[in-house]
Amino acid sequence: MTTHYVPLGSGSPDYATIQAAVYACGTNDIINITDSSVYNETVSGFPATGITIQAIGGTPIIDGINKTGHVISSDKNGTQLYGLTIRNGTDDGINLLGNSCEIKKCISHNNYSDGIQITGNTNIIQNNVCLHNGHFGEHGIDVDGNSNTIQYNKAYYNLADGINIYGDANTIANNQCCNN
């Protein structure tokens, strides 16, 4: 396991972009974003399972404006996202296809489709805020799978449902949804 740092000068090894750090990752690696900068990029192509992207020492913004697709997308099991602000995606803000993924303490807003879309089993979506997402009936949080935990989230002013769930044995508790 290796810890990678964004931006340049914040640790070793360090990278100018989150995408560059993702490409350098192996299984169970961690990317620490150490500032509150705005990163005008999309992040995809996760090369391994269990990659964590987390904010430490700030609240970084990943802005998909003038980019194509999801702001963050991964099809790997165990992807973990913590403390990020995601905005202006031309598709979903966060799109994960995998099992045992975690999205915690993230804000996803003003995305063209869902704020958070996750397909898979035993995922945890907790303490997130999703607002002003969707243009054609998309949701704040959209979950498709079994045995997922969706709790302590806030979904406001999304075009369709605040939280939309398909599947069995999901735990849905202590969420707030209004004006969706």
Side-chain angles (χ1 to χ4, degrees):
M1 178 179 75
T2 301
T3 301
H4 307 266
Y5 295 89
V6 176
L8 291 172
S10 60
S12 180
D14 60 353
Y15 304 88
T17 66
I18 301 163
Q19 184 65 68
V22 165
Y23 285 152
C25 282
T27 299
N28 297 324
D29 280 5
I30 297 169
I31 300 169
N32 287 333
I33 305 172
T34 62
D35 66 359
S36 294
S37 293
V38 176
Y39 293 88
N40 293 310
E41 61 179 304
T42 57
V43 180
S44 62
F46 284 57
T49 60
I51 294 173
T52 297
I53 302 175
Q54 62 186 5
I56 61 167
T59 305
I61 298 169
I62 306 172
D63 194 331
I65 197 161
N66 299 321
K67 306 292 181 189
T68 301
H70 312 297
V71 179
I72 296 180
S73 63
S74 172
D75 62 356
K76 302 295 186 199
N77 292 335
T79 299
Q80 299 176 33
L81 307 173
Y82 302 116
L84 309 172
T85 296
I86 312 301
R87 69 182 187 197
N88 299 323
T90 60
D91 204 326
D92 298 328
I94 298 171
N95 182 285
L96 300 183
L97 174 60
N99 300 318
S100 303
C101 298
E102 293 186 7
I103 304 169
K104 294 182 177 178
K105 297 183 179 178
C106 291
I107 299 169
S108 186
H109 68 92
N110 295 95
N111 297 291
Y112 198 77
S113 291
D114 297 319
I116 296 173
Q117 202 287 327
I118 191 162
T119 302
N121 303 315
T122 64
N123 297 298
I124 298 172
I125 302 100
Q126 182 176 299
N127 288 358
N128 300 291
V129 177
C130 294
L131 63 154
H132 298 288
N133 294 294
H135 284 81
F136 294 108
E138 291 81 5
H139 314 285
I141 299 171
D142 191 11
V143 178
D144 188 356
N146 303 314
S147 302
N148 296 294
T149 301
I150 303 99
Q151 61 186 7
Y152 306 112
N153 299 289
K154 296 178 181 178
Y156 304 134
Y157 304 105
N158 299 288
L159 188 60
D161 298 325
I163 300 175
N164 186 57
I165 310 288
Y166 295 99
D168 297 317
N170 292 299
T171 300
I172 305 148
N174 300 308
N175 297 287
Q176 296 178 8
C177 298
C178 69
N179 296 317
N180 294 290

